[in-house]
């Protein structure tokens, strides 16, 4: 094989070994645990799309689908998410919270995933992960916050599929946009995806158990306080880009009991944002 052939193969990077599905299952699937299955596939379009289909077919709560590569990964608003094979964690998880949790509280699941992911990365990778409302994971690279991951929740019937995409070993030249980041670029103590994935799923299991035991109450479970503590959006002046082409500018002051972002706007008016893109403003010129 010529050097050009080696460079062109997506499986040649020895710094990015494949995940060991059998070892992951032994470590994570227990009779009394949340996770009922852990499957690793070499490549797929979108783990969320695949797991939503399985949920519609009756797959049980606790199914986890991990892809070494996603060719059509999706973020919010149908944005695409792509990265080199085995350079990140691309996974989706199936939840059926209805027996204990009222539907009105299911919107906390992506926020729960953010809190759990940040806790896992602090313990395992030694990095601080900030949460940008509602679903971005931010890491500090070269002194600035960069989006390094995202969370997407999709409901189908009585199930919610939560997907996480996290850049782990991406190098500068591999970033999809200059403002992106990765654990490697943030100085993580490890970019070994196996312990990172185990820590992430164990953290989600722990937080989900607390939240469900509290009937989904974000205050009683400690989730609302934990999210506020890790949310980089709070205390910042932001622009909310809302459905229908509208926007609102104000200071993000809280995340309410329904998981909505509370803004303090001009004239002392308060507003809540249930869905939309948030832009962290740094200067007056960014408010237009």
């Amino acid at each position: 094989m010529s050097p050009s052939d080696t460079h062109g193969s997506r499986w040649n990077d020895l710094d990015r070994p494949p995940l060991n599905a059998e070892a992951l299952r032994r470590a994570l699937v227990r009779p009394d645990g949340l996770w009922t299955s852990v499957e690793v596939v070499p490549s797929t379009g979108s783990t969320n799309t695949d797991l939503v289909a399985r949920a519609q077919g009756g797959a049980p709560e606790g199914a986890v689908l991990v892809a070494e590569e996603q060719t059509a990964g999706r973020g919010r608003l149908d944005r695409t998410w792509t990265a080199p094979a085995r350079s990140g964690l691309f996974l989706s998880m199936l939840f059926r919270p209805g027996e204990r949790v009222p539907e009105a509280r299911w919107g906390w699941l992506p926020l729960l995933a953010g809190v759990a992911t940040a806790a896992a990365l602090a313990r395992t990778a030694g990095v601080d992960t900030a949460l940008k409302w509602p679903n971005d994971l931010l890491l500090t690279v070269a002194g600035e916050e960069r989006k390094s991951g995202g969370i997407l929740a999709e409901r189908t019937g009585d199930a919610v599929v939560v997907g996480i995409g996290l850049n782990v070993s991406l190098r500068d030249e591999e970033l999809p946009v200059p403002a992106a980041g990765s654990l490697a670029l943030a100085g993580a103590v490890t970019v070994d995806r196996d312990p990172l994935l185990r820590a992430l799923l164990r953290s989600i299991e722990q937080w989900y158990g607390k939240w469900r035991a509290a009937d989904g109450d974000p205050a009683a479970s400690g989730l609302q306080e934990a999210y506020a503590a890790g949310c980089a959006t709070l205390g910042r002046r932001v622009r909310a880009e809302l459905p229908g082409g509208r926007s609102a500018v104000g200071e993000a002051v809280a995340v309410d009991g329904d998981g909505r972002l509370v803004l303090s706007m001009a004239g002392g008016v308060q507003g809540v944002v249930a869905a939309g893109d948030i832009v962290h403003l740094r200067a007056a010129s960014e408010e237009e």
Side-chain angles (χ1 to χ4, degrees), residues 89-128:
L89 291 175
F90 320 115
L91 68 147
S92 296
M93 301 150 287
L94 174 56
F95 300 95
R96 296 188 186 273
E99 292 184 5
R100 292 289 301 268
V101 181
E103 290 185 30
R105 292 172 172 169
W106 292 9
W108 274 96
L109 273 170
L111 307 184
L112 182 155
V115 167
T117 299
L121 294 180
R123 288 195 303 267
T124 311
V127 297
D128 289 330

Side-chain angles (χ1 to χ4, degrees), residues 17-29:
L19 292 165
N20 185 327
E22 184 178 347
L24 288 168
R25 283 191 287 271
R26 286 199 304 267
L28 295 164
V29 178

Side-chain angles (χ1 to χ4, degrees), residues 33-253:
L34 169 63
W35 308 121
T36 52
S37 66
V38 178
E39 181 181 355
V40 179
V41 296
S43 180
T44 191
S46 162
T47 56
N48 256 39
T49 298
D50 294 349
L51 202 53
V52 165
R54 296 184 189 185
Q56 293 168 347
E61 179 173 63
V64 179
L65 179 62
V66 186
E68 297 282 27
E69 178 185 38
Q70 283 194 128
T71 58
R74 294 181 293 115
R76 290 181 64 249
L77 306 178
D78 288 328
R79 293 174 178 139
T80 58
W81 177 285
T82 59
R86 309 197 311 274
S87 67
L89 291 175
F90 320 115
L91 68 147
S92 296
M93 301 150 287
L94 174 56
F95 300 95
R96 296 188 186 273
E99 292 184 5
R100 292 289 301 268
V101 181
E103 290 185 30
R105 292 172 172 169
W106 292 9
W108 274 96
L109 273 170
L111 307 184
L112 182 155
V115 167
T117 299
L121 294 180
R123 288 195 303 267
T124 311
V127 297
D128 289 330
T129 305
L131 306 172
K132 180 184 174 188
W133 188 94
N135 72 328
D136 288 350
L137 304 169
L138 306 178
L139 294 172
T140 301
V141 178
E144 62 182 28
E145 289 177 342
R146 296 194 191 179
K147 180 177 176 178
S148 303
I151 298 165
L152 177 67
E154 297 181 84
R155 179 175 173 179
T156 177
D158 68 346
V160 180
V161 172
V162 178
I164 298 175
L166 176 67
N167 294 336
V168 175
S169 62
L170 260 69
R171 309 165 185 118
D172 276 314
E173 66 273 15
E174 295 174 320
L175 296 175
V177 295
S182 69
L183 287 175
L185 295 174
V189 297
T190 182
V191 290
D192 185 339
R193 294 177 306 140
D194 184 279
L196 291 171
L197 180 56
R198 295 185 191 208
L200 188 157
L201 288 171
R202 285 169 175 155
S203 185
I204 289 174
E205 180 176 19
Q206 180 183 29
W207 271 107
Y208 184 70
K210 291 168 60 176
W211 177 72
R212 191 166 55 176
D215 299 328
D217 187 321
S221 64
L223 179 58
Q224 187 173 5
E225 180 181 6
Y227 188 85
C231 183
T233 303
L234 296 183
R236 308 260 293 252
R237 191 158 180 80
V238 304
R239 181 176 68 251
E241 298 176 347
L242 306 171
R246 298 174 297 118
S247 66
V249 173
E251 181 184 354
V253 295

